[in-house]
Amino acid sequence: MAKGFFISKIVGIVGIFVGVAALSTIIALSVVYSQERSKNNQVQPTDGGETTTNPITTTPTPPNDPWYQYRLPKTLVPDHYNVTLWPRLKPVSTDFYIFTGDSVVEFECVEETDLILIHSNKLNHTTLSDGKIARLTAVNSASVPSIKSSWLQTETQYLVLQLDGKLVKGQRYHLYTEFTGELADDLGGFYRSVYQENGVEKVIATTQMQATDARKAFPCFDEPALKAYFHITLLHDLGTVALSNGKEIETTTINKEGEEVLKTVFERTEKMSTYLLAFIVSDYDHINSTIDGVEIRIYARKPAIAAGEGDYALNITGPILKFFEEYYNSSYPLPKSDQIAIPDFNAGAMENWGLITYREARLLYDKDFSSNSNKQSIATIIAHELAHMWFGNLVTLRWWNDLWLNEGFASYVEYLGADKAEPTWNVKDLIVLSDVHRVFAVDALATSHPLSSNEEDIIKPAQISELFDAISYSKGASVLRMLSDFLTEEIFTKGLQSYLKEFAFGNTVYTDLWKHLQMAVNASAVDLPSSVNDIMNTWVLQMGFPVVTINTASGLVSQKHFLLDPDSEVTAPSPFNYEWIVPIKWMKTGTVQKPTWLLAKSETINDMKVTEASEWVLANLDVVGYYRVNYDDSNWNKLLNALTTNHGAIPVINRAQLVDDAFNLARAKIIPTVQALQTTVYLKNEMEYMPWKSALNNLDFFYLMFDRSEVYGPMQDYLKNQVVPLFEHYKGITDNWSKVPTGHMDQ
Ligand SMILES: *[C@@H]1O[C@H](CO)[C@@H](O)[C@H](O)[C@H]1NC(C)=O
Ligand SMILES: *[C@@H]1O[C@H](CO)[C@@H](O)[C@H](O)[C@H]1NC(C)=O
Ligand SMILES: *[C@@H]1O[C@H](CO)[C@@H](O)[C@H](O)[C@H]1NC(C)=O
Ligand SMILES: *[C@@H]1O[C@H](CO)[C@@H](O)[C@H](O)[C@H]1NC(C)=O
Ligand SMILES: *[C@@H]1O[C@H](CO)[C@@H](O)[C@H](O)[C@H]1NC(C)=O
Ligand SMILES: *[C@@H]1O[C@H](CO)[C@@H](O)[C@H](O)[C@H]1NC(C)=O
Ligand SMILES: *[C@@H]1O[C@H](CO)[C@@H](O)[C@H](O)[C@H]1NC(C)=O
Ligand SMILES: [Zn+2]
């Protein structure tokens, strides 16, 4: 699933005025800042981003019966399901819409039991001719115990069937049920989405199963490791189109309960998890193309397709799909790839295998009205979802506690896929603003949590939902980018490819990936100070990240858990005492040096000692490392000087970093606020998007703080002065604001 990230607004042009002396303004600002701050001793994330909560909530101990447990017993394993569903797009009474269905699941008994637990939530089960709500038969007409009692356990979302005898180990059974559910407008399970077209209200039946709502559409063993094959059939009104994960085999007209309806039968799916299923009935139109035998279709409301709003998505899907086939060294395993825009949709998009659902704004591009940042979010989100077709769908994490690996991985490689579709954009750089800096704000709080959770702590649907946060997505993406960088992309993809080969159509835990990366490292010349597992554990099993402090006079390099609020107390214990194994890429006076590692709390790295007055050190090149950097005063001054006199000597991402690190170090009271504000002095020479965006993100806080204070006027004058050259630059490259510049970042 992809979050609803919004790419930040364009750099604002503040106005044209002549500023006052920069330094005195900066000093006045920092004085008032510290006054305001002591009045108002409260720290908030810089990004206005989400805050995180600890996913572990305590529960009273439930009774011991299996139907009070949120996890299924390990007694039954499904092989395949045959499901028929009939959504009614007209209400049966005011605002009450339903679907009906029947389902048979073939499962194997792997451990003797007299109890069947299968997930079922908010479904009304029909009493069958024998007076029971389910029918159990054995494959090969073996004898079968009968159902003694049955009920719905609503809290744990089970259909419970107690039998009067044991199911036999190794024997296969069929369980048949009929049911009715509400097609509610609740965005979960099988639900309805409503929109207006030419003044007429239209209803779509669609699905969102992740994480635990497949059980709201039909009874199923609704855990990601219980993969099975699905034969899906949909009944739907004449004039509508039905879609599912598999390709349509045939559509016929049948008479059902006195009504003429269409019956669409779909090809059997691959072996897959329930949370990746999708069923959609609409009167949508589509456009299509074929790439190496895989049909690509984009579905949307008829007027949107007619206006060409699906064209951009269709244009880029083929190249991105090809890119991932090569990246993963694995062919796309399905005959088709459908993507569909849904008017009412909760997440940004959902990676249902073969039928990806999107919010309309995340798939449809209107060349007259959409901005370039809309276009970028379409390219990255399509890449994110297509990346999941392998990483997540073909190979699936065994349980939700490892969600961060699934989402973090897709959130990292979405930039690689989008870069393939739009190679001129430099979109890969933007992960630093959109993910690394964004999640720094959250992960620097004492209330953050580690990427990895214990399987036993994540059992209830609400606990699973809480994992879909900035830590899983953005920190996951940031540490995987760091890993890929220190392994080299070649070794990273080699390990990834053998991981996907070994576990195709199966399930894993995150250490399985580490093992395959280690195998690739072992077979290569890459030299690591420790195993992949030991290095990554320090980033995965403890919350937060370090600030690395480099003293260029002595060469002493040290690390400390970075906390935005220095007075906050960290109560959560860490297996590594809040120390990390830190890869350091760095440069000296504009020249890239051999990468190194910080392996202890502090260490002397002689190369980082500078002897000449003109020499400076800059660490964490391109912010590939998940940490902040601080220096001795003398080196800070040399960096500020380098920014002012020749900012081109410092890579653009690091210019954005120096600003962001300085402001955050100041908020954490590690460096004076004056020093942070001084990173804005050079901005009058800066014409690039990323450093400005980084400065604006941080100055927003000052704007809020100084509104109605005596320094507000001087601050505005100062910033107006800084922004004038930028304004003039853009005036020039846009021919006096008459044409759109070509560069993506310029736009
Ligand atoms: C499900 O449908 C498939 C295809 O029609 C059929 O081969 C299979 O026997 C069915 N399974 C059950 C349990 O009815
Ligand atoms: C399920 O049964 C309950 C109780 O009879 C009823 O209130 C509800 O409307 C039913 N739901 C559907 C979808 O038929
Ligand atoms: C698009 O779909 C139509 C109808 O299914 C099909 O005839 C046509 O070959 C498809 N075009 C491409 C380029 O795949
Ligand atoms: C899609 O590709 C075609 C052919 O290259 C091109 O003419 C068209 O402008 C593209 N559409 C969009 C929205 O990018
Ligand atoms: C995987 O890599 C091998 C060796 O480079 C190549 O021959 C093969 O075509 C690749 N397969 C896919 C699906 O990319
Ligand atoms: C990698 O090499 C090390 C040292 O030879 C060895 O201990 C380890 O088992 C190897 N790991 C894998 C996954 O092959
Ligand atoms: C922009 O406008 C100024 C005066 O308003 C004019 O001198 C200059 O030539 C114009 N530049 C372009 C590129 O049109
Ligand atoms: Zn995702």
Side-chain angles (χ1 to χ4, degrees), residues 209 214 221-228 230 245 270-277 353 392-393 395-397 400 506-507:
M209 305 308 197
F221 298 97
D222 198 9
E223 293 192 357
L226 293 172
K227 290 191 173 186
F230 295 85
N245 307 82
E270 291 296 341
K271 196 171 181 199
M272 64 183 281
S273 303
T274 47
Y275 80 88
L276 294 167
L277 290 168
W353 214 2
N393 299 7
V395 178
T396 310
L397 273 319
W400 298 108
N507 292 84

Side-chain angles (χ1 to χ4, degrees), residues 514-523 531:
W514 294 173
K515 188 184 123 207
H516 279 264
L517 294 174
Q518 188 67 52
M519 281 158 43
V521 169
N522 280 12
S531 68

Side-chain angles (χ1 to χ4, degrees), residues 80-121:
H80 72 271
Y81 296 79
N82 292 4
V83 182
T84 301
L85 294 171
W86 184 13
R88 313 299 155 85
L89 302 187
K90 294 187 190 66
V92 291
S93 60
T94 312
D95 268 343
F96 188 63
Y97 293 73
I98 62 160
F99 64 91
T100 54
D102 58 64
S103 165
V104 54
V105 52
E106 178 169 321
F107 63 85
E108 182 181 336
C109 171
V110 295
E111 231 176 78
E112 205 179 65
T113 180
D114 58 3
L115 179 72
I116 296 175
L117 290 185
I118 186 166
H119 285 109
S120 170
N121 187 25

